[in-house]
Amino acid sequence: MTAFAEETGTAGSSGTAQRDDEEHTPVVESDAGGAEFWDARYSESERIWSGNPNTALVREVAGLRPGTALDLGCGEGADTIWLAQRGWRVTATDISAVALERAARHAEEAGVADAVEWRQADLSVSFPDGEFDLVSAHYLHSPGDLPREEILRRAASAVAPGGVLLIVGHAGLAPWEPTAHEGVPLPTPQEVLDALDLPAGGWEVQRCEEFERAQNDPEGRPATRTDNVLRVRRLPA
């Protein structure tokens, strides 16, 4: 993705990075964050990400009835395309016009272009209008002045009654990263939940936990990474 979220594997944007399976902008060490940076980053290669949907998205969404979805920081579009192939109508956002153009081409190749609306947006400045049955935010980590908590609270407000907010993030550093990323918070799922400040009695917490997944390091060697997932459902009115 790019609007700040994805996995590392070889590169980075949304931020981004070529990953073995995840599709949203990564944590990168740069004074980055803006469209110019991520456009340049995506322009370095014909493909930054693996093209596979995020494993947590597949696990958490496979059993939901398709409706409308908002994919925050869609990058090259793997999550968006996976959702569209399963009957969702998706609004997909990213800060990078280069990423969105590439994602739209991939959606056309997959035969789901009519099910997707692409929007260029810097989530730290603006947020898509409307309510959605699913709002998905994967790996929204970035250095600099990314107002992550504010963005996620806006994401919660965009969930329709009966809909789901899915937030996935890194629980800590990857095994190949010896030092912390300065200025990049990696909150626990409970800290993410607390920061949302959801109104009492209006939401159901369906999952709030860490999980392990396989991911290749930048040299292509197998490794295990710990991430976290928060899935909350807005109760019907």
Side-chain angles (χ1 to χ4, degrees), residues 21 64 74 99 156 200 204 214 229:
D21 63 14
L64 298 181
C74 65
E204 173 192 7
V229 57

Side-chain angles (χ1 to χ4, degrees), residues 8-10 18-20 174-178 213-225:
T8 63
T10 310
Q18 166 110 23
R19 21 165 246 196
D20 45 310
W176 56 87
E177 296 175 315
R213 62 178 176 82
Q215 180 186 352
N216 290 341
D217 70 12
E219 304 302 321
R221 296 169 297 198
T224 299
R225 181 146 202 187

Side-chain angles (χ1 to χ4, degrees), residues 61-75:
V61 175
L64 298 181
R65 177 180 298 178
T68 57
L70 175 62
D71 184 5
L72 298 175
C74 65

Side-chain angles (χ1 to χ4, degrees), residues 205-237:
V205 179
Q206 297 183 319
R207 195 177 313 282
C208 182
E209 64 189 28
E210 294 185 351
F211 67 97
E212 291 187 345
R213 62 178 176 82
Q215 180 186 352
N216 290 341
D217 70 12
E219 304 302 321
R221 296 169 297 198
T224 299
R225 181 146 202 187
T226 302
D227 288 342
N228 56 50
V229 57
L230 175 66
R231 172 176 154 169
V232 292
R233 176 175 174 266
R234 186 175 183 180
L235 299 178

Side-chain angles (χ1 to χ4, degrees), residues 9-214:
T10 310
S13 149
S14 198
T16 269
Q18 166 110 23
R19 21 165 246 196
D20 45 310
D21 63 14
E22 307 304 303
E23 166 77 31
H24 281 78
T25 308
V27 178
V28 293
E29 296 199 21
S30 165
D31 52 355
E36 183 177 351
F37 173 88
W38 291 120
D39 281 348
R41 181 65 194 87
Y42 274 108
S43 297
E44 292 175 3
S45 174
E46 281 300 309
R47 181 181 287 277
I48 300 297
W49 309 108
S50 70
N52 300 320
N54 282 289
T55 55
L57 177 81
V58 174
R59 182 179 64 246
E60 299 296 333
V61 175
L64 298 181
R65 177 180 298 178
T68 57
L70 175 62
D71 184 5
L72 298 175
C74 65
E76 294 171 329
D79 281 4
T80 293
I81 291 168
W82 184 87
L83 288 166
Q85 288 173 328
R86 282 148 186 82
W88 293 84
R89 297 200 62 83
V90 188
T91 298
T93 72
D94 203 278
I95 196 171
S96 169
V98 176
L100 288 172
E101 181 180 357
R102 188 172 300 170
R105 184 172 69 250
H106 293 166
E108 185 74 34
E109 293 167 351
V112 295
D114 291 345
V116 183
E117 178 184 354
W118 307 99
R119 297 186 189 177
Q120 184 178 9
D122 179 344
L123 297 177
S124 66
V125 176
S126 63
F127 198 91
D129 295 329
E131 288 189 334
F132 304 86
D133 300 307
L134 170 68
V135 178
S136 174
H138 279 68
Y139 305 104
L140 290 176
H141 304 297
S142 180
D145 297 325
L146 176 68
R148 186 175 188 268
E149 293 183 355
E150 180 181 344
I151 291 170
L152 294 179
R153 284 192 289 269
R154 290 179 182 176
S157 69
V159 178
V164 167
L165 172 63
L166 179 63
I167 302 171
V168 178
H170 296 308
L173 298 176
W176 56 87
E177 296 175 315
T179 59
H181 296 279
E182 184 177 357
V184 181
L186 300 176
T188 67
Q190 185 61 50
E191 288 171 339
V192 175
L193 176 60
D194 292 343
L196 289 177
D197 195 24
L198 300 174
W203 292 79
E204 173 192 7
V205 179
Q206 297 183 319
R207 195 177 313 282
C208 182
E209 64 189 28
E210 294 185 351
F211 67 97
E212 291 187 345
R213 62 178 176 82

